[in-house]
Amino acid sequence: VITIESEAFSKCENVTKVFISNKVTQSKNDIFTGNSKLTTLSITGTGNMTDYTEENIPWRSIKDQIEIIEIGI
């Protein structure tokens, strides 16, 4: 997977953690709509990350419930 489409994880209500590997090069807006239990987001890779604004971050719909963001290689 190199692109995660909008609402790709929509309504996956029991997911608590998502790992986005360095193979993903593009994420659309609101990929996690309806994920009420997601609290941890892990992102890995090298190089520059897209400079998201608050309006276009892929996790915008759940930004207030994310407790942990893990950044690694």
Side-chain angles (χ1 to χ4, degrees):
V1 174
I2 58 172
T3 300
I4 301 176
E5 295 296 332
S6 295
E7 299 183 8
F9 298 98
S10 178
K11 304 196 189 316
C12 296
E13 296 170 358
N14 292 314
V15 173
T16 59
K17 182 175 182 176
V18 170
F19 173 81
I20 299 175
S21 79
N22 61 349
K23 304 294 183 206
V24 174
T25 59
Q26 184 178 22
S27 295
K28 305 292 182 168
N29 293 345
D30 295 327
I31 62 176
F32 300 111
T33 300
N35 292 73
S36 60
K37 295 181 183 176
L38 185 62
T39 59
T40 303
L41 183 60
S42 296
I43 303 170
T44 66
T46 59
N48 295 332
M49 184 176 183
T50 301
D51 189 17
Y52 293 111
T53 67
E54 186 173 344
E55 296 303 314
N56 71 351
I57 57 174
W59 50 89
R60 179 182 67 176
S61 63
I62 59 163
K63 67 181 175 64
D64 294 331
Q65 72 192 50
I66 295 293
E67 297 173 2
I68 301 168
I69 296 179
E70 302 170 336
I71 306 290
I73 295 176

